[in-house]
Amino acid sequence: MAELRPIFALPPGADFPAELVSGLIDRMAGQPPEAMAKVTLILNTQRMRRRVTECLLARGPRFLPRLMLVTEAALMSDLALPRPTSPLRRRLVLSVLLDKLLDGGATEFPRAALFDLADSLANLMAEMQGEGVAPDRIAALDVANHSAHWARTQAFLGIVAEALSSDAPDAEANLRRAVASLPETWTRHPPPGQVILAGSTGSRGTTALLMQAVAGLAQGAIVLPGHDFDLPPEVWEGMDDALTAEDHPQFRTRRLMDLLGFGPQDVQPWTATPAPDPARNRLVSLALRPAPVTHQWLAEGPRLGNLTAATRGLTLIEAPTPRAEAMAIALILREAAETGTRAALITPDRDLTRRVSAALDRWGIRPDDSAGRPLALSAPGRMLRQVAALFGQRLTADALLALLKHPLAFSGSERGQHLVLTREFELHIRRNGPAFPTADSLRDWAARSRIDRAGDWAAILADTLCGQEIAGRLQLADLVARHLRLAERLAAGFDAAGSGALWEKEAGEKALAAMSELASEAPAAGTLTASDYAGLIFGLLNRDEVRETEGLHPGIMIWGTLEARVQGADLVVLGGLNDGTWPAQPPADPWLNRAMRKEAGLLLPERQIGLSAHDWQQAVAAPRVVLTRAKRGTEAETVPSRWLNRLVNLLAGLPDQQGPEALAAMRNRGAHWLRLAEAFDAAPRVAPARRPSPRPPVHARPRQLSVTEIKTLIRDPYAIYARHVLKLRPLDPLRPEPDPRLRGTVLHEILERFLKQGGGDRQTLLAIAEEVLAARVAWPLARTIWLSRLAKAADAFLAFSAATGGAPVLLEEKGALRLPGLDFTLTGKPDRIDRLADGRLLLIDYKTGAPPTEKQQEHFDKQLLLLAAMAEGGGFRGLDPSEVARVVYVGLKAQLKTEEILLEPGQVAEIWKRFGGLMASYFRPTQGYTARRALEKASDPSDYDHLSRFGEWEMTDDPAPEALE
């Protein structure tokens, strides 16, 4: 076999797994078949290992090499290692330390961030161990010139290091120890065959050490991905300072050169296969040169040749909006699916991938998304999070219904009956409440519902969901046990045992594994509050992802940026090319600033930008590439990605090489897809609806209305038509609120009870108010505010009530009066009617808001005036027809306000006559129920605006009458 040199590479754009396998097979040619089984191939990701396995199998039957991941390198060492502490245990221990830090007042951060901070701190500790940075080095940092915050974090990190010193090392520390021992292990026990590390640039310290060990073997080899063979030696030499060159795509390779003692001239091609487009690779290499770049562009740009050919495989889409970008990408992938082209969308923007997936779903195309879906968003994850939320607050109607409608609730036997009960219970609780369901309210509804299995159903819910609030702190072990019991009982439903479908399929198995691990590590966490526990569960479930493999299209993929190294696609779409997205902004580090990191020897924030640049350089070199971005985000104009910006600027600045023409051609190819996306989204032009004024048959029109509905009939007749003719009623909100309607109902009940017991003093009124509020209003804050308002108005109300000049003879009693000559009845329930000393009547109506003015009462708010007509016409049982002297609206706010109308003889009869004329007009077939006829303000909502399609027409439009049959 030919001599194997230690450092090899493949150019950007090469199908790395396929070429890696091809080169390996070529080098093993002439060897016995079993020699391949002695080869150890160390790869960087699980996806890479899968692709390499597929490529090996595609080359025919043969022995396979030993395939390992970088993280499994400890298996090659004979060093005895202690059992590592689990990542979850480490985070729980750190959360306890952070909790003590917060309680001690040494620093301030929201409790909701407790476990996020524990996670970031655990990552820092793992990074320190991976990079070989001892805690002493952090403690020795000079922070005199930094703010006090960094001094506090330095001191806290010292406490953390001391607290963890007696704990078992984590997996990262074990891995570094094992890797450091490999040269000695291989000296004693040489590997039986070649050892090849492929796909990594050594961006992490432990990986770089492993590469150093492999390169030192006589049969060792390194295969670098996406190596820029076009980079001149002087550029390689200039990338010696991390502060200025860390964000360059080849900086990690330069750092590896320094570590292993080789230069760019020592890097040999792994195979003889050229890059898909070498001319494009040279163009991209020049565009990505480290700053300053302008003189290099001027010097080397003319040597690029005709750029039209170099960019023939590039398309540039600059969409006006994220939606247009997603639709254009979806159309490109749809065409690829139709033509059998293997295509991939590569982007770090998960919002974009969700939009593209939703668009592809229109055509029944489900892409293979490498990121999958977070376990927290899967069905078992959502149920576990919803059950955990029960510990932190009173059970609300919407939270209860969300759990009842969960696909895993009652997923045992008789789920159909559970859905029937849920539907009927939802209608009940929307109409009648309570806002905070209890075990008693559930059992009471079940007893009155007379639905099969209702009693058993209510008993299960009462035991599982009601009264689960936790006031103080509990041991994590107790919280987990309680959490699992409730979740499994809810999933089992009518089954006495089991857990329904909660732990089934991949998502259920992963959720069970996560909860089981939490239960086993719970003693490390101590006590938690309910909100702490909910945050812990969310973070725990967010660590894992679930990939649903059923029904996926085999040729349409969505990859993250790391998968650009494993690409095997003919068409690649690089989406979301805006600064802040690709590359993303480095995350904030609450523990060490940039200068402290550099001094300590840790990774700089720009490292991630450099790795993203390397991923981009590989992906943009694919055979066919589409570059996409949205010019505007949800809130503001966007800035193009720095790499795309450099490429565009370089092309625009090389007119002699047809750069501007090449750029225009790229944009023209992109404009084609934008036109298709616009055409696809274009809806057929439909004439806007006209302002409706339906004319239903006279026999279908309402024969009875209440006095409060007359105002609606005058201002918005269409609402009367929708409610009484179409029989449509607004659905009550899922989550009731202490709204003005409830406040008015409660106020009327308070005053009714106060007056029915004969009145009294201020203390009596407020005592009744407290009693009614406690029974009818479930929100403590609303009870306090409403009682305070009533207390402010109490003296004025008592004075008004004593000065009416009469005594109450009717309180909250319903009445009705027919219109002569029409088959119509007016109903009403006055708040209060007093008999005055002269035998006449006084009508009083209480308002929680501002009472209507006299003009408003004359034309629109006719409630009291019509009640006066009913009183004079004998419309109330037990109250003889009597003349009404006056009507009064009483506004009970902080300041009592009244609106009084003195009625002249015959005025009420005239009001009744005009009302008869109004109703007679609606008994004519030609009278329509016009939408929003005379609303007080154009902004006033109507319950039926959606039905009348308000917005397509304006209130100044003429109504369009429509005769109905």
Side-chain angles (χ1 to χ4, degrees), residues 257-499:
M257 291 178 183
D258 295 340
L259 179 66
L260 302 186
F262 71 93
Q265 72 280 356
D266 299 318
V267 180
Q268 304 298 317
W270 177 250
T271 65
T273 306
D277 194 335
R280 191 197 308 161
N281 281 6
R282 290 193 294 273
L283 170 66
V284 173
S285 174
L286 181 57
L288 297 180
R289 294 289 169 82
V293 298
T294 308
H295 71 283
Q296 298 179 48
W297 288 3
L298 292 174
E300 298 182 40
R303 297 199 291 266
L304 292 175
N306 191 327
L307 293 175
T308 304
T311 59
R312 187 171 291 118
L314 290 178
T315 298
L316 177 57
I317 295 177
E318 295 174 304
T321 64
R323 176 182 173 83
E325 180 188 11
M327 181 54 64
I329 294 172
L331 289 168
I332 292 171
L333 296 180
R334 175 188 172 179
E335 183 187 65
E338 291 175 348
T339 59
T341 303
R342 184 175 170 86
L345 165 63
I346 300 176
T347 180
D349 188 348
R350 294 306 298 169
D351 287 338
L352 177 61
T353 61
R354 281 190 285 268
R355 289 190 183 101
V356 172
S357 297
L360 288 173
D361 191 54
R362 301 182 182 185
W363 307 300
I365 299 174
R366 289 188 60 202
D368 183 1
D369 190 345
S370 66
R373 180 171 51 173
L375 180 59
L377 299 181
S378 66
R382 293 198 312 272
M383 170 168 273
L384 290 170
R385 287 166 52 207
Q386 287 173 259
V387 173
L390 297 176
F391 299 157
Q393 59 183 8
R394 295 173 64 188
L395 180 64
T396 60
D398 57 310
L400 172 60
L401 289 170
L403 275 165
L404 295 180
K405 292 185 177 185
H406 194 284
L408 294 179
F410 283 73
S411 52
S413 60
E414 297 187 71
R415 176 164 168 80
Q417 186 60 28
H418 161 72
L419 295 177
V420 170
L421 289 161
T422 298
R423 181 191 62 198
E424 296 301 321
F425 178 72
E426 179 181 0
L427 293 174
H428 164 78
I429 203 167
R430 281 179 180 269
R431 294 177 186 136
N432 307 303
F436 300 96
T438 62
D440 291 340
S441 67
L442 283 166
R443 294 191 183 98
D444 180 64
W445 173 81
R448 291 184 287 105
S449 68
R450 300 181 180 178
I451 302 175
D452 186 35
R453 301 300 303 269
D456 297 336
W457 185 76
I460 294 170
L461 298 186
D463 174 63
T464 307
L465 303 180
C466 297
Q468 299 298 337
E469 310 93 77
I470 297 173
R473 301 172 72 99
L474 288 180
Q475 292 289 333
L476 177 59
D478 297 336
L479 284 167
V480 174
R482 183 175 181 179
H483 188 190
L484 289 175
R485 180 184 70 81
L486 297 180
E488 291 179 345
R489 186 68 189 94
L490 180 62
F494 290 118
D495 295 341
S499 56

Side-chain angles (χ1 to χ4, degrees), residues 765-952:
L765 175 62
L766 295 182
I768 294 174
E770 289 183 1
E771 184 178 340
V772 173
L773 286 168
R776 296 294 303 274
V777 182
W779 300 268
L781 179 61
R783 288 199 299 266
T784 302
I785 294 174
W786 293 355
L787 183 62
S788 174
R789 289 179 178 176
L790 183 60
K792 290 179 180 179
D795 292 335
F797 168 75
L798 293 173
F800 164 81
S801 187
T804 60
V809 293
L810 195 74
L811 296 172
E812 299 285 351
E813 296 290 342
K814 291 184 178 179
L817 186 64
R818 290 178 61 86
L819 272 172
L822 287 177
D823 182 17
F824 180 84
T825 302
L826 180 67
T827 65
K829 185 170 73 171
D831 293 343
R832 172 179 170 183
I833 298 180
D834 283 9
R835 175 80 68 182
L836 301 177
D838 59 5
R840 293 186 297 170
L841 302 177
L842 165 65
L843 272 66
I844 301 172
D845 188 81
Y846 303 118
K847 295 290 184 185
T848 54
T853 65
E854 184 174 347
K855 285 291 185 181
Q856 288 174 325
Q857 293 181 58
E858 180 182 354
H859 297 287
F860 303 105
D861 296 62
K862 298 177 176 292
Q863 177 184 349
L864 271 183
L865 295 175
L866 291 175
L867 286 171
M870 292 176 63
E872 291 195 357
F876 298 103
R877 182 179 302 177
L879 184 66
D880 296 333
S882 303
E883 181 183 352
V884 177
R886 63 185 192 274
V887 296
V888 181
Y889 279 105
V890 179
L892 284 170
K893 300 177 71 175
Q895 299 291 330
L896 187 137
K897 183 179 180 181
T898 62
E899 284 287 344
E900 182 175 344
I901 298 180
L902 299 175
L903 298 174
E904 301 295 334
Q907 185 176 349
V908 173
E910 180 62 26
I911 291 170
W912 186 248
K913 179 180 177 181
R914 290 203 304 269
F915 172 68
L918 172 67
M919 296 311 305
S921 68
Y922 278 97
F923 274 74
R924 291 194 293 267
T926 56
Q927 178 64 48
Y929 290 80
T930 302
R932 301 176 66 91
R933 174 182 170 273
L935 290 183
E936 185 175 358
K937 293 182 291 187
S939 58
D940 286 347
S942 169
D943 289 333
Y944 303 96
D945 280 341
H946 188 258
L947 181 65
S948 68
R949 296 171 67 174
F950 176 59
E952 296 183 40

Side-chain angles (χ1 to χ4, degrees), residues 358-692:
L360 288 173
D361 191 54
R362 301 182 182 185
W363 307 300
I365 299 174
R366 289 188 60 202
D368 183 1
D369 190 345
S370 66
R373 180 171 51 173
L375 180 59
L377 299 181
S378 66
R382 293 198 312 272
M383 170 168 273
L384 290 170
R385 287 166 52 207
Q386 287 173 259
V387 173
L390 297 176
F391 299 157
Q393 59 183 8
R394 295 173 64 188
L395 180 64
T396 60
D398 57 310
L400 172 60
L401 289 170
L403 275 165
L404 295 180
K405 292 185 177 185
H406 194 284
L408 294 179
F410 283 73
S411 52
S413 60
E414 297 187 71
R415 176 164 168 80
Q417 186 60 28
H418 161 72
L419 295 177
V420 170
L421 289 161
T422 298
R423 181 191 62 198
E424 296 301 321
F425 178 72
E426 179 181 0
L427 293 174
H428 164 78
I429 203 167
R430 281 179 180 269
R431 294 177 186 136
N432 307 303
F436 300 96
T438 62
D440 291 340
S441 67
L442 283 166
R443 294 191 183 98
D444 180 64
W445 173 81
R448 291 184 287 105
S449 68
R450 300 181 180 178
I451 302 175
D452 186 35
R453 301 300 303 269
D456 297 336
W457 185 76
I460 294 170
L461 298 186
D463 174 63
T464 307
L465 303 180
C466 297
Q468 299 298 337
E469 310 93 77
I470 297 173
R473 301 172 72 99
L474 288 180
Q475 292 289 333
L476 177 59
D478 297 336
L479 284 167
V480 174
R482 183 175 181 179
H483 188 190
L484 289 175
R485 180 184 70 81
L486 297 180
E488 291 179 345
R489 186 68 189 94
L490 180 62
F494 290 118
D495 295 341
S499 56
L502 179 60
W503 309 126
E504 294 180 0
K505 300 183 179 179
E506 182 183 359
E509 292 171 359
K510 285 195 172 184
L512 178 58
M515 294 302 296
S516 299
E517 183 187 8
L518 180 61
S520 65
E521 301 292 355
T527 61
L528 279 76
T529 65
S531 61
D532 291 343
Y533 182 72
L536 172 61
I537 291 297
F538 182 75
L540 174 71
L541 298 177
N542 246 355
R543 295 186 311 168
D544 295 315
E545 294 174 342
V546 180
R547 295 187 69 243
E548 299 170 349
T549 57
E550 297 179 2
L552 300 180
H553 195 287
I556 305 299
M557 289 78 65
I558 295 178
W559 293 338
T561 55
L562 185 62
E563 282 76 22
R565 307 177 186 178
V566 198
Q567 64 178 337
D570 302 315
L571 171 64
V572 168
V573 180
L574 304 184
L577 286 171
N578 285 324
D579 226 39
T581 301
W582 199 359
Q585 293 292 335
D589 186 346
W591 307 110
L592 298 172
N593 61 31
R594 188 168 180 269
M596 293 169 70
R597 278 183 161 273
K598 186 175 187 302
E599 186 179 350
L602 293 171
L603 302 173
L604 296 180
E606 289 81 3
R607 164 188 169 272
Q608 195 59 49
I609 296 178
L611 292 176
S612 294
H614 191 221
D615 297 336
W616 190 82
Q617 185 177 22
Q618 294 178 80
V620 79
R624 290 173 54 203
V625 178
V626 180
L627 309 172
T628 76
R629 62 175 292 261
K631 293 181 180 179
R632 184 174 180 84
T634 55
E635 297 180 354
E637 297 287 335
T638 59
V639 176
S641 169
R642 62 192 68 184
W643 312 312
L644 177 60
N645 211 18
R646 284 187 172 204
L647 181 62
V648 168
N649 290 339
L650 177 58
L651 288 170
L654 295 173
D656 294 339
Q657 286 68 45
Q658 289 75 48
E661 291 82 354
L663 180 59
M666 291 167 55
R667 284 176 166 149
N668 286 337
R669 290 190 286 271
H672 164 72
W673 294 107
L674 288 176
R675 286 192 295 270
L676 289 181
E678 184 180 1
F680 186 85
D681 271 349
R685 187 165 182 81
V686 178
R690 299 179 64 189
R691 186 180 188 182

